[in-house]
Amino acid sequence: MRDLGAGFGYLINGQRWVARHGRWLGIGLIPGVITLVVYAGALVGLGYGADDLAAWATPFADDWSSPWLGLLRTTLTVLVFAFGLFLAVITFTAVTLLVGQPFYESLSEEVDRAEGGEVPESGLPLWRELWISARDSVRILVRVALYAVLLFALGFVPVAGQTVVPLIGFCVTGYFLAEELTAVALQRRGMVLKDRLVLLRGRRLLILGFGVPLGLAFLVPFVAVFLMPGAVAGATLLARELVGQDDGADDADDADDGAANGGEGEGATLPPAPPHTAAG
């Protein structure tokens, strides 16, 4: 349970970091605004078309009497929109990170630099970094889609479908949000997707403490855009702990003094991934 609080602390400290570095907050908002406009249009379209989709998917119920026909199709409409919203929350981060790769890469490096110690660089050309990010995002989204289909089906289970299943859904959302965000810093440290997932599984509560509140916040319109820069900063702080390069979440409070204390991080041991394994 202690890790849950620590994970949330990294989320808060990331927001505080960008608040103290206003230039990076402004830069980090640009990709989020672009992505938000596209996603808002898609969700509005889904909202208008979800009831027609529900009717198309249940032709067998056309002759049902009231209230069963309305109850079935209303439930299915809600589930379809909830499914779309679930995917939007998950994919928003991946798409925004892809659109803003150069911005967020620089932001993550700046956080590492401010915190002191080693500032890893991938050494790869931009097009290669974009390809790796897109490829890994697709792999993550395939995993998420499998969970989403399973949870969608379980949503029809009485009681559990309206209580336990949404809770599991938020945990899945938060976990993979954290993976996408920490990937910015961990890829610079030469870690491929498989190694990152192993690393995150070792600290599940820490990851959930960071990702679940962020996933809930992302459900509020426009909030995701404003939180993205701080989320990247917080994920970088989180990644530093995961690889043993940070003393804890409270270190983010001393970001402005990090250069003076840089020697504290120089002896940290990073995972034994070679610096360019991500290129494969």
Side-chain angles (χ1 to χ4, degrees):
M1 297 302 290
R2 181 180 178 181
D3 268 359
L4 282 174
F8 183 68
Y10 282 114
L11 178 60
I12 297 300
N13 285 330
Q15 302 303 322
R16 293 170 62 185
W17 192 95
V18 295
R20 292 198 300 267
H21 301 77
R23 182 172 72 92
W24 289 103
L25 175 61
I27 291 174
L29 290 177
I30 297 173
V33 171
I34 296 172
T35 309
L36 177 66
V37 171
V38 176
Y39 272 58
L43 286 175
V44 169
L46 180 61
Y48 277 107
D51 53 347
D52 292 333
L53 181 60
W56 172 82
T58 56
F60 57 86
D62 287 342
D63 298 327
W64 288 15
S65 61
S66 179
W68 305 115
L69 175 61
L71 181 62
L72 172 65
R73 288 183 172 169
T74 298
T75 300
L76 187 58
T77 298
V78 172
L79 287 174
V80 166
F81 188 79
F83 179 69
L85 190 61
F86 173 81
L87 289 181
V89 171
I90 289 294
T91 59
F92 180 87
T93 301
V95 173
T96 303
L97 288 174
L98 188 61
V99 172
Q101 175 78 17
F103 302 103
Y104 295 133
E105 191 83 14
S106 298
L107 170 58
S108 180
E109 289 181 6
E110 188 63 26
V111 173
D112 270 327
R113 189 171 294 110
E115 290 299 300
E118 183 181 359
V119 182
E121 296 182 6
S122 67
L124 299 174
L126 177 59
W127 71 268
R128 188 63 177 169
E129 291 182 349
L130 290 173
W131 163 249
I132 293 171
S133 296
R135 182 194 63 190
D136 289 350
S137 292
V138 169
R139 291 174 176 174
I140 289 296
L141 292 178
V142 169
R143 289 174 167 85
V144 172
L146 293 175
Y147 278 108
V149 170
L150 176 60
L151 293 173
F152 180 78
L154 291 176
F156 290 97
V157 177
V159 183
Q162 293 73 49
T163 54
V164 178
V165 172
L167 179 61
I168 296 174
F170 283 125
C171 290
V172 171
T173 300
Y175 187 86
F176 286 109
L177 274 177
E179 194 289 324
E180 289 281 0
L181 289 163
T182 54
V184 178
L186 293 177
Q187 281 179 0
R188 288 192 294 107
R189 288 162 167 82
M191 298 192 69
V192 296
L193 177 60
K194 179 180 178 181
D195 294 333
R196 297 198 306 267
L197 290 174
V198 170
L199 187 65
L200 267 59
R201 280 198 295 268
R203 301 291 298 277
R204 282 190 180 90
L205 290 180
L206 182 68
I207 301 307
L208 291 176
F210 178 88
V212 172
L214 185 62
L216 290 171
F218 274 18
L219 293 176
V220 182
F222 306 109
V223 168
V225 173
F226 293 99
L227 291 185
M228 270 299 292
V232 173
T236 302
L237 297 171
L238 175 59
R240 289 171 63 88
E241 173 167 324
L242 289 173
V243 300
Q245 196 176 351
D246 202 2
D247 292 329
D250 291 338
D251 288 350
D253 297 333
D254 301 323
D256 293 329
D257 299 324
N261 299 322
E264 295 176 6
E266 293 174 356
T269 301
L270 300 180
H276 299 298
T277 51

